[in-house]
Structure formats: C-alpha cells, structure tokens
C-alpha cells in the first residue's frame, strides 16, 4: 500500500483528494476499478471496425518488408526483429554481404519467445552491451543482455555467450531493477543498481556505482562513485577507444544538469564547466554544447552552439575553444557522430533536416546531399574504429508520406596526424540507398505543408499538416493534432504506416479522409535549447498557449472546427493534452491522453517523478506550487465545466510515470459527473504501453478509433 505524505504543504490537498487509494498500484480494490473501466471502454470501442484496424496496423508492424536496421560490432551487423512468428523478438546478426542482399541469412543469437516459454517469464528485450571488439585478434564473444519482465524500465542484466548462444552459467547476473551495467574488461563490470537501503535516489534510479569482478557479489563490491539521494542518478563507464582508454563518471543532478568526472591518478577530477553544459569526449577532443549563453576566455557563445577543445589542455586550465556550429534563428543542432577522420552534424532548419561533415581542426562544414525539404534525416558512423570502414556512415531519410530509406556513404580519408586535417587520399563516395521500406497506404493525392501559428506572446510556432492536396477548407475535415513540447525533444517528420491506415486514408460519412497535424511547440528542441528553456517551470503555460494557437489556426484556416479537431499526446504530451482538456476544452472535439502526468501536486512522489523537477518545478516549495497548480489538470477539473470526450490510457507496469495519475484523473472526472471520459489500462508494456507488436497495434487502433468515433458522432460535451 502506498504511504501518503502528511507534510504541512500537502495536508490540505490530501484531505480533499478522495482518490489516493488508486495509488496502490497492484491493490485488489484499485485493480477491480481498472477492470471495470476497461470493460466499459471496450464495450464502447470493441467491434468489427476496431478489430479490422488493429489487424491492418499489426500487418504493418509485422511486415517482413520493413528495413532491418543494423548496428556494426566487430565483423557482424546486429539487429533486433519482431514479427508475427516472433512477437517478443529475435536478437540476431549477419554479415554485410548478406545484409545488402535481397534475402539476408540471419544467425539467431537469442529467441526471446523461446526464452519466455522456457523460463515462464514474459521477457521483453531491452538491448545488449557487447564487449568491445579487439581488431588485432578479432576475439569478441560476450554481451550483457537486458531483459524486462513486463516492459518497464526495471531490467535484469545477464551475461551472454555469443558463440554458444547461451547465458553464461555463473556469469554476471544483475537482478531486475532500474540499473546500468557496462563492461570494464572481460572479467569486470561497472554496476549501478538497487543493492538495498541507501542505494537508490529519490527519483528511483541508482545513486551508487560499484566495480564488480567476476564471481563477486554485487552488494559486496566496492562503491567507486556515488551521488546525493536528492540527485537523479549516478553513472560510470569506460571509454575503450584504443589509445584513449579512460573512465568517466557522471552525477546526473537533474534532467539537465550533469557533473562529469575523469578518473586520474587514483581520484575523480571534475571537468570544470557549468554543469548545465552538455559535454562529450572523443579521443583528444572535448565537445561542448551550452544550454545557455556561455562565456569562455572573455568570449560569449550562444546557447545551442557546438565548441571543440583539446581535452588535455582544457583539464590543465586552457579555455581555448574552436567553434564548430553556431545556430541562427532558424537552425539548431540535433546531434553528432564521429567517423575516424570526420565529425558528422545532424541539424534542423525550420524543422527540416540538414546534414554536414567537418574535419577536426578545420571545422569547415560540408553539406551531405540527398535530403528533400520537409523531411527528417540522420547520419551516423558505421564503426569509427574498424580500419577498413572507419569513415563510412549510415544515413536514413523519412517523411510523413515517404517511407524510410537506409543508405551508406563514405567520407574521405585524412592523411595528417590522427584527428587533424591535412590532405585527402581519396574522394568521398556518393551515398547510396541500400534499403527502402514499402508504402503501407496510398499517399496519392496527399500532401505535406508547413504552417506557422502565432502564440499568445507573439512567437511564431511551426506545424506540419498532412492531408488531401486539394483540401476543402470548410471546417469539416476530421483532424488530429499531435504534440509533445518538453525535455528538448523535437517532433520531426516521419513515416507512419499505422497513422496512414487509421487516419490519413480513413473516410468519414461524408467521404472525407483525415488530416494529421504535428505542432512543433516550445519545450521541444526544434530551435535548440532556448526553444526548450522558454517554457520551463513558471513559463510552462507558453507551451500550452503554443498548442492552443495551432488549434486556433486550424480553425481560422477552416481546416476544421472544434467539433472536428482531436488532439493526442503521451507522457509529457499527456500532460499537454490534459491541459487542453481542462484549460482549452472549447477548442477540441476529442482527446486521447496516454501514460500521462496529470497530478502535478504529487508527481514527484510517484515513480520517477522527482527526476523531472528541473522541467516542471517542485510542488513541495509553496512558491513553486503556486505556478505548478496552474498546469496541474487533476487540480483544474471542475464539475461545472463542459469537457470534450476523453480517453485516458496507461499501463500497470509503467514504472516511469506510473498508472496512478491517469487512474485518478479518470476517477475524479467520473465522480464529478463527466460521463464522456473513458479509461483503459494495459497490464504490461511499461511506459510505451505495449510490449509486443500486437499490443502496440491494439493501443494505436484503440486511440484512433476513439477519436474518430467522437468526431463522427459526438457523445455530448
């Protein structure tokens, strides 16, 4: 049973919160309520139409013609694959020559379905860390495999032998917990996990890291790094780059504040930078990306830029840096990747991708070709340490109406000293598309356009609109507006066969097909860190004003009316649409709210909520609660308000946000007499709400079926 706080700052709220009993996640009474609400929702939605849609979406997710994306380790290319025959998935590998063929021959390393049957646990594959290959001898036989028993963030980590295809008897085995395990060498690992009282932070993540030798009990291994309990997490890993081996520790103070340490002369030495600055180490280079204006050596550098410094010189006190990328009002840096001789930058220009390469030391940006407008693309190194392919890179391109493609290119070799520019020995090869995903819906007659709405404070907010090329602007088009607006996560163009089936090509009673809209509101990273920091804490309302402005712009342009506009969001996006429900109900005809934050009074005491204080603020501080309560949907509900129909969905096994905020919101609305709210809770699937393709297909179809039904036949407001 959950223990509730009785501190003075919470006492008044808890006395009037009649639904705290739903916070007992697995309790008999709450679970009976969940089952009752599931039955009610399934009665509304289940039927031939939903069954047909679910099967069609499942066909997309299980299609054998999807691209089997690969990651290179040593001589092999690894992939994790789910389909109808293997719903929990196969971890497998192949050679490059086989992968580029029309029918690759896969060497199956782990059949997760078979493992689940053998061990009678519904395992969900959560990734693997392979022991670094040694290119001098090619020996590389072990992996640390992560498995979740229910799709949540808590995993069991087990040592796996790649040659025998079996878990190592007596090998490394860390029990199920929120944990991190990484290789030091073949007989040693760094482990951050739950080892009992005092080992976890208030955010539910490890605060201690131990160095564990083969055969040693983790709880008895020495703690090599730890952080205060009110910080978010501790992490330690070894950089295995030949010639630059080092051990790095990170104190994740909060979601956006990280103190970085290097192990030097038997002690931790902190990297002397503002901890809000993002840093990355590669060979001799230190990359610096500030979240705010940064002053070094008397020069100011803007938020979102990328700077490079010599790591050794920086550690010795030299603050000389070189500018690699400088954003402008339209551009931002999304990420980067190192090949042997180059740095690849992934950037956005008004939310369309632009890729560049640059040679360390010169830092002149050279565009990578082949990216159409209003598309998303990324490029990353194949394997910078492989002598044969060190400058090769993968790249992918996708758009709302363009199925994903995956290709490979090569950048020129640099003949100067390692990591510096001199002359090239061979030209760069033209990147070649190697794999194309199929189309899963008929996109003929559909078009993608970009528009800008004006928010309450005058900010121009971009949004993408996908729909018929000759759209009738009479307000009668069923329209779905999606958004996120948090944690510097960008919403970029991407193909979804599922959305094409359940929205873009579905016809209503008038023969109209759906319009799909993605809002690039503040809080995301579309225009760099400043786009994100503009809505933190007391400024959170700006994100919701942005989203409302996009909705109003759709009305103004006569794409739809409120009766024909639905909105959907999950996690932080669930908080977003929860605020649309309570603050802007007149703008929407239906709302789908998934795995959401909604009770912002208690969010820091539920699951991993304490780790997000830097985003939303601390409700335990009275002055911060005063602004937090203005965007806490659970506290904004009123029995006299008229709300649009809402589906609130979650998963019992979600150990990140947790199911209880969704439960309490739905229960309170029903108690207030709002009968047009429905609730559904899956028993597993974690924060994603689904642990296999069938569950994911059902979740997607149920959400879209609800919104379509409500726009077609409103159930009262």
């Amino acid at each position: 049973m959950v223990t509730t706080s009785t501190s003075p700052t919470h006492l008044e709220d808890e006395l009037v919160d009649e639904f705290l009993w739903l916070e007992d996640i697995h309790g008999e009474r709450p679970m009976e309520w969940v089952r009752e609400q599931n039955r009610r929702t399934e009665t509304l939605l289940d039927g031939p139409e939903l069954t047909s849609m679910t099967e069609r979406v499942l066909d997309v997710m299980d299609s054998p013609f999807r691209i089997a994306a690969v990651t290179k380790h040593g001589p092999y290319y690894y992939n994790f694959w789910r389909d109808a025959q293997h719903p929990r998935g196969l971890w497998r590998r192949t050679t490059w020559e086989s992968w580029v063929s029309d029918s690759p021959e896969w060497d199956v390393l782990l059949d997760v379905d078979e493992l689940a049957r053998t061990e009678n646990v519904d395992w969900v594959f959560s990734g693997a860390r392979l022991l670094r290959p040694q290119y001098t001898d090619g020996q590389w036989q072990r992996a640390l495999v992560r498995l979740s028993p229910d799709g949540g963030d808590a995993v069991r980590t087990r040592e796996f032998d790649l040659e025998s295809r079996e878990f190592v008897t007596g090998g490394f085995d860390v029990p199920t917990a929120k944990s991190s395990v990484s290789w030091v060498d073949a007989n040693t690992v760094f482990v951050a996990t739950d080892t009992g009282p005092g080992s976890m932070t208030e955010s539910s993540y490890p605060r201690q890291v131990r160095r564990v030798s083969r055969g040693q009990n983790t709880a008895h291994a020495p703690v090599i790094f730890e952080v205060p309990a009110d910080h978010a997490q501790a992490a330690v890993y070894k950089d295995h780059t030949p010639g630059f081996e080092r051990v790095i520790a990170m104190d994740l103070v909060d979601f956006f504040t990280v103190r970085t340490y290097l192990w030097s002369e038997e002690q931790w030495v902190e990297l002397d930078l503002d901890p809000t600055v993002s840093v990355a180490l590669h060979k001799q280079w230190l990359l610096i990306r500030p979240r705010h204006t940064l002053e070094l050596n008397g020069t100011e550098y803007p938020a979102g830029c990328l700077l490079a410094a010599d790591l050794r010189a920086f550690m010795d006190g030299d603050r000389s840096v070189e500018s690699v990328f400088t954003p402008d009002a339209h551009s931002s840096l999304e990420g980067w990747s190192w090949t042997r001789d180059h740095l690849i930058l992934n950037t956005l220009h008004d939310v369309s991708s632009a890729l560049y390469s640059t040679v360390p030391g010169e830092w002149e940006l050279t565009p990578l070709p082949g990216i159409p407008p209003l598309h998303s693309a990324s490029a990353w190194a194949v394997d910078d340490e492989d002598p044969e392919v060190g400058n090769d890179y993968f790249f992918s391109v996708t758009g709302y109406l363009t199925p994903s493609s995956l290709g490979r290119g090569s950048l020129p070799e640099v003949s100067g000293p390692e990591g510096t520019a001199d002359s090239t020995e061979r030209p760069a090869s033209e990147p070649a598309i190697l794999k194309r995903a199929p189309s899963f819906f008929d996109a003929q007659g559909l078009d993608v356009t970009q528009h800008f709405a004006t928010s309450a404070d005058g900010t121009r907010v971009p949004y993408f609109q996908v729909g018929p090329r000759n759209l009738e602007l009479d307000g009668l088009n069923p329209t779905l507006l999606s958004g996120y607006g948090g944690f510097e996560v960008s919403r970029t163009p991407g193909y979804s066969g599922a959305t094409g089936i359940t929205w873009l090509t579905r016809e209503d009673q008038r023969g109209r097909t759906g319009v799909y809209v993605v809002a690039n509101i503040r809080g995301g990273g579309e225009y760099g860190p400043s786009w994100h920091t503009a809505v933190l804490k007391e400024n959170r309302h700006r994100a919701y004003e942005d989203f409302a402005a996009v909705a109003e712009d759709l009305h103004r342009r006569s794409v739809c009316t409120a009766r024909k506009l639905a909105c959907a969001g999950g996690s932080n996006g669930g908080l977003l649409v929860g605020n649309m429900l309570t603050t802007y109900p007149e703008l929407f005809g239906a709302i789908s709210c998934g795995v959401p934050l909604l009770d912002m009074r208690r969010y820091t005491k539920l699951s991993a909520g304490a780790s997000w204080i830097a985003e939303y603020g601390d409700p335990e501080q009275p002055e911060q609660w005063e602004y937090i309560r203005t965007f806490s949907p659970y506290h904004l509900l009123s029995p006299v308000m008229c709300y649009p129909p809402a589906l609130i969905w979650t998963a019992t096994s979600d150990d990140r946000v947790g199911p209880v905020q969704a439960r309490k919101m739905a229960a309170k609305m029903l108690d207030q007499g709002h009968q047009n709210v429905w609730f559904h809770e899956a028993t597993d699937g974690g924060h994603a709400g689904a642990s296999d393709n069938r569950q994911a297909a059902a979740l997607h179809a149920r959400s879209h079926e609800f919104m379509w039904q409500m726009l077609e036949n409103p159930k009262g407001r």
Side-chain angles (χ1 to χ4, degrees), residues 25 28 42 52 65-67 119 164 177 180 239 253 274 334 351 427-428 432-433 477 510 577 581 589 631 670 691 709:
I25 293 178
E28 182 177 349
E42 290 161 7
S52 174
F65 304 109
R66 290 169 294 144
I67 296 175
E119 299 188 347
S164 68
S180 174
D239 182 348
V253 180
D274 183 329
E334 280 284 281
V351 206
I433 296 293
N477 302 289
R510 297 180 181 86
V577 300
L581 175 73
F631 59 84
L670 290 168
S691 57
Q709 276 194 29

Side-chain angles (χ1 to χ4, degrees), residues 1-14:
M1 180 71 72
V2 171
T3 301
T4 60
S5 167
T6 57
S7 64
T9 59
H10 270 67
L11 184 58
E12 180 181 352
D13 284 272
E14 292 191 354

Side-chain angles (χ1 to χ4, degrees), residues 32-68:
E32 179 53 39
W33 181 89
V34 167
R35 288 188 288 269
E36 178 185 347
Q37 296 304 317
N38 282 357
R39 287 191 293 269
R40 176 172 175 264
T41 300
E42 290 161 7
T43 298
L44 171 73
L45 298 177
D46 286 9
E49 186 69 30
L50 180 59
T51 299
S52 174
M53 272 205 305
T54 300
E55 292 302 320
R56 292 177 65 198
V57 172
L58 183 60
D59 286 344
V60 171
M61 295 180 175
D62 280 344
S63 171
F65 304 109
R66 290 169 294 144
I67 296 175

Side-chain angles (χ1 to χ4, degrees), residues 25 126 146-157 174-181 191-196 199-209 218 232-235 603-612 653-659 686-687:
I25 293 178
S126 298
R146 294 163 53 87
L147 296 162
S148 167
D150 55 14
D153 290 348
V155 297
R156 180 181 176 186
T157 303
V174 179
T176 300
K178 289 184 178 180
S179 59
S180 174
V181 186
V191 178
T193 191
D194 187 349
T195 54
S199 64
M200 305 295 278
T201 68
E202 295 170 7
S203 298
S204 76
Y205 295 103
R207 61 173 291 264
Q208 297 177 333
V209 182
T218 299
Q233 187 176 357
Y603 86 94
T604 58
K605 297 183 175 298
L606 302 171
S607 300
S611 63
W612 308 318
S653 60
D654 180 0
D655 52 4
R656 194 178 308 172
V657 170
H687 192 53

Side-chain angles (χ1 to χ4, degrees), residues 268-521:
W268 292 112
V269 178
E270 184 175 0
L271 195 60
D272 185 20
L273 270 172
D274 183 329
T276 66
V277 172
S278 297
V279 300
L281 309 181
H282 178 76
K283 296 184 177 178
Q284 73 268 40
W285 297 107
L286 166 65
L287 291 185
I288 301 168
R289 181 178 182 261
R291 287 178 49 78
H292 310 279
T293 299
L294 177 68
E295 182 177 337
L296 290 172
N297 276 352
T299 300
E300 288 191 345
Y301 298 94
C305 70
L306 187 65
L307 308 173
D310 180 277
L311 176 61
R312 181 173 296 177
F314 193 92
M315 296 297 290
D316 289 339
D318 185 350
R319 293 299 176 262
S320 300
V321 296
E322 298 177 90
S323 181
V324 181
F325 173 83
T326 302
D328 58 28
H330 298 276
S331 64
S332 65
L333 177 64
E334 280 284 281
W336 59 82
S337 178
W338 291 92
T339 70
R340 182 176 61 240
D341 300 324
H342 298 261
L343 177 64
I344 297 174
L345 302 184
N346 295 274
T347 76
L348 294 177
H349 185 87
D350 283 333
V351 206
S352 290
S353 288
L355 308 180
Y356 302 91
S357 68
T358 185
V359 175
E362 287 187 352
W363 309 118
E364 180 179 348
L365 300 184
T366 301
L368 296 181
I371 307 168
L374 304 186
H375 280 66
S376 177
S378 59
W380 63 97
V382 172
D383 186 345
D384 66 299
E385 293 181 16
D386 186 329
E388 299 297 322
V389 300
N391 280 321
D392 285 8
Y393 64 92
F394 285 124
F395 72 98
S396 65
V397 179
T398 185
Y400 290 113
L401 301 178
T402 307
S404 299
S405 59
L406 182 62
R408 183 166 175 167
S410 185
L411 295 168
E413 294 181 357
V414 175
S415 59
E418 184 173 13
T420 62
D422 189 357
S423 61
T424 58
E425 296 179 345
R426 63 181 175 86
S429 65
E430 283 293 322
I433 296 293
L434 301 173
K435 302 282 185 178
R436 295 183 187 273
S439 297
F440 291 106
F441 61 92
D442 185 2
Q444 288 189 349
L446 300 180
D447 201 7
V448 179
T449 54
Q450 188 178 42
H451 306 267
F452 290 82
T454 302
S455 193
D457 65 355
T459 300
R460 294 177 76 243
V461 180
Y463 66 94
F464 292 103
Q465 178 179 305
V466 189
R469 186 170 296 118
N470 299 314
L471 184 69
E472 292 188 53
L473 297 176
D474 58 4
L476 298 178
N477 302 289
T479 304
L480 169 56
L481 174 58
S482 176
Y484 188 75
F487 298 95
E488 206 177 333
V489 174
S490 302
R491 290 293 305 274
T492 55
Y495 187 82
S496 170
T499 298
I501 289 170
T502 59
W503 203 269
L504 288 173
T505 58
R506 186 175 181 178
E507 292 187 354
D508 67 7
Q509 294 171 354
R510 297 180 181 86
R512 300 285 185 92
T513 54
V515 176
Y516 178 61
V517 179
V518 175
N520 301 113
I521 64 177

Side-chain angles (χ1 to χ4, degrees), residues 457-635:
D457 65 355
T459 300
R460 294 177 76 243
V461 180
Y463 66 94
F464 292 103
Q465 178 179 305
V466 189
R469 186 170 296 118
N470 299 314
L471 184 69
E472 292 188 53
L473 297 176
D474 58 4
L476 298 178
N477 302 289
T479 304
L480 169 56
L481 174 58
S482 176
Y484 188 75
F487 298 95
E488 206 177 333
V489 174
S490 302
R491 290 293 305 274
T492 55
Y495 187 82
S496 170
T499 298
I501 289 170
T502 59
W503 203 269
L504 288 173
T505 58
R506 186 175 181 178
E507 292 187 354
D508 67 7
Q509 294 171 354
R510 297 180 181 86
R512 300 285 185 92
T513 54
V515 176
Y516 178 61
V517 179
V518 175
N520 301 113
I521 64 177
R522 283 174 287 182
E526 288 87 346
Y527 291 104
S530 297
W531 196 246
H532 170 239
T533 57
V535 304
L536 293 183
K537 297 184 176 180
E538 68 270 18
N539 295 318
R540 198 77 200 169
H541 61 277
R542 292 175 178 167
Y544 310 137
E545 291 170 353
D546 288 0
F547 198 74
V550 173
E552 291 168 342
D553 203 54
L554 292 168
H555 299 168
R556 181 189 62 81
R557 294 176 47 236
S558 296
V559 174
C560 59
T561 63
R563 289 283 188 169
K564 284 294 182 180
L565 179 60
C567 68
S571 191
N572 173 76
L575 176 61
L576 166 67
V577 300
N579 275 277
M580 294 303 106
L581 175 73
T582 53
T583 308
Y584 300 93
E586 73 282 358
L587 298 181
F588 301 95
I591 291 177
S592 175
C593 179
V595 289
L597 290 94
L598 293 167
D599 180 356
M600 300 305 289
R601 180 56 141 162
R602 289 184 53 76
Y603 86 94
T604 58
K605 297 183 175 298
L606 302 171
S607 300
S611 63
W612 308 318
I613 288 176
E615 182 85 9
Y616 306 118
D618 185 357
E620 291 295 307
Q621 304 299 318
E623 69 281 4
Q624 294 186 43
W625 170 240
E626 286 307 306
Y627 66 74
I628 295 172
R629 72 189 310 151
T630 67
F631 59 84
S632 179
Y634 185 66
H635 294 87

